[in-house]
Amino acid sequence: MSSSSPLALLRKLKPDNFTIALLCTVALASFLPCTGTTAVVFGNITTVAIGALFFLHGAKLSKEAVMAGVMHWRLHLLVLASTFVMFPLLGLALRPLALTFLTPELYVGILFLCALPSTVQSSIAMTAMARGNVPAAICSASASNFIGIFLAPILVGLLVAKGAASKSSLDAVLSIVMQLLLPFLAGQFLRRWIGRWVDRNKAVLKYVDQGSILLVVYTAFSEAVGEGLWHTISVETLVALALINLLLLALVLGIGSFVSRRLGFSKEDEITIVFCGSKKSLASGVPMAKVLFSARELGMVILPLMLFHQIQLMICAVIAQRYARRTEAQDVPVTTA
């Protein structure tokens, strides 16, 4: 069967196990939310789990792999501009459309999504699948996550007129530093002793990553359900939110591809720019939202990010395979009679 057949395309677009787990977590919070003392206990466990998540991110990040691509500064600047400049500007530009179909709280979630750093794992994986510049992707995605720890709360303060747990940008940065950056730096410091163990057990430790996110999602949606989340969001609103996320992703992918070609980047570098500059990190975004927003706001804020996460994985997987087929065709030697 051809790889371009409708059945093959559907297989590429099917949700992964983690996405299914996210949907089940939302369903659990909808029918069996944690409240009262249970909510406090879950909140404390979630805080510890988030610290462990960022500790492991620090311990997994190889300095050698990052340094392999660090000198490609033009590429890195373009990826950072896409992540922290173009995304927020597009989020603001989509305001009239978004507020026509969405609630103001969901639009705040879109602005929050636009302020977040890029993913690490999926950006690198998509770049590798498409046969792009993988060392540069490692460097760009890692730099985006590190810079995003400081920059994302500042951008949220600039983009969101109210909310963000009523914190100033400085307070938000300090909270991010204490809860996210310090565990990350501790992981980096201890990598020389625990790095090999972490590398050997990546398949097991990914459950710490995913479990931390699921805990935050469960507590956030439990609170949101208590505030009447599903009474205020209709199916039509969810469909509109998905379409606006799809439009946002399409704009970023198209602009990233166009600009990289106009600036004369190679095909491998274009692939890196397109994938690293179009991703938004669920792993970083959900913990940041917990720090930046009140429990009452949290469910609405992370809902656009959760939808965008799945959309970006499905669409970028298809694009990565198209890039790969294109580069494979270029590698085939031309024979003459």
Side-chain angles (χ1 to χ4, degrees):
M1 181 180 293
S2 170
S3 61
S4 59
S5 68
L7 187 58
L9 181 60
L10 286 175
R11 280 199 293 266
K12 295 172 190 174
L13 294 177
K14 71 178 181 180
D16 58 14
N17 291 335
F18 180 56
T19 300
I20 295 171
L22 277 173
L23 295 174
C24 291
T25 302
V26 172
L28 179 63
S30 300
F31 292 103
L32 193 63
C34 60
T35 57
T37 304
T38 306
V40 174
V41 172
F42 266 95
N44 292 333
I45 294 173
T46 300
T47 299
V48 174
I50 288 171
L53 169 69
F54 276 79
F55 175 82
L56 289 173
H57 277 315
K60 287 188 291 187
L61 185 59
S62 167
K63 293 183 179 70
E64 294 78 10
V66 172
M67 290 305 296
V70 74
M71 300 308 294
H72 207 340
W73 61 270
R74 289 178 67 242
L75 181 149
H76 304 320
L77 284 179
L78 189 54
V79 169
L80 291 174
S82 176
T83 304
F84 297 116
V85 178
M86 181 169 63
F87 255 109
L89 290 177
L90 287 174
L92 291 173
L94 289 173
R95 176 185 173 89
L97 177 65
L99 290 181
T100 301
F101 298 101
L102 306 179
T103 65
E105 293 81 7
L106 286 175
Y107 178 60
V108 168
I110 290 177
L111 292 178
F112 172 70
L113 144 71
C114 290
L116 290 175
S118 178
T119 62
V120 176
Q121 289 92 340
S122 64
S123 292
I124 297 167
M126 296 296 180
T127 301
M129 184 189 305
R131 302 175 68 189
N133 187 338
V134 174
I138 294 171
C139 185
S140 278
S142 302
S144 174
N145 263 250
F146 185 78
I147 293 170
I149 292 175
F150 301 97
L151 192 55
I154 296 173
L155 285 174
V156 170
L158 293 173
L159 293 171
V160 182
K162 60 181 180 178
S166 300
K167 294 181 180 179
S168 69
S169 294
L170 178 59
D171 290 337
V173 170
L174 291 176
S175 296
I176 292 287
V177 168
M178 292 297 295
Q179 296 186 37
L180 307 184
L181 180 60
L182 289 183
F184 178 88
L185 293 178
Q188 270 284 282
F189 177 74
L190 294 174
R191 178 173 169 78
R192 61 185 299 183
W193 294 287
I194 66 173
R196 290 183 180 178
W197 181 85
V198 169
D199 292 339
R200 286 196 306 268
N201 292 276
K202 283 182 178 179
V204 176
L205 293 177
K206 74 175 183 179
Y207 294 111
V208 177
D209 291 13
Q210 296 178 355
S212 302
I213 297 170
L214 293 175
L215 275 171
V216 176
V217 169
Y218 177 65
T219 54
F221 273 86
S222 292
E223 178 71 25
V225 167
E227 295 290 333
L229 173 67
W230 300 125
H231 296 293
T232 58
I233 298 181
S234 64
V235 174
E236 292 80 5
T237 301
L238 284 175
V239 171
L241 178 59
L243 291 175
I244 290 173
N245 275 340
L246 186 59
L247 174 61
L248 178 62
L249 179 62
L251 289 171
V252 172
L253 289 170
I255 294 171
S257 177
F258 174 78
V259 171
S260 62
R261 292 175 188 176
R262 293 287 293 179
L263 293 178
F265 284 97
S266 68
K267 180 60 65 176
E268 290 76 15
D269 289 345
E270 175 193 326
I271 290 168
T272 302
I273 292 164
V274 166
F275 289 126
C276 292
S278 63
K279 298 287 190 303
K280 289 296 179 176
S281 175
L282 185 70
S284 298
V286 171
M288 283 185 187
K290 187 176 185 297
V291 175
L292 295 173
F293 293 88
S294 68
R296 182 178 58 82
E297 299 171 300
L298 198 53
M300 285 283 201
V301 168
I302 66 174
L303 184 56
L305 175 60
M306 289 173 59
L307 281 175
F308 188 86
H309 170 77
Q310 181 57 31
I311 290 170
Q312 73 181 8
L313 290 179
M314 293 190 299
I315 299 301
C316 289
V318 175
I319 294 174
Q321 296 205 19
R322 291 190 64 185
Y323 267 126
R325 288 196 297 270
R326 185 172 180 175
T327 52
E328 286 165 3
Q330 292 172 347
D331 290 340
V332 175
V334 178
T335 58
T336 58

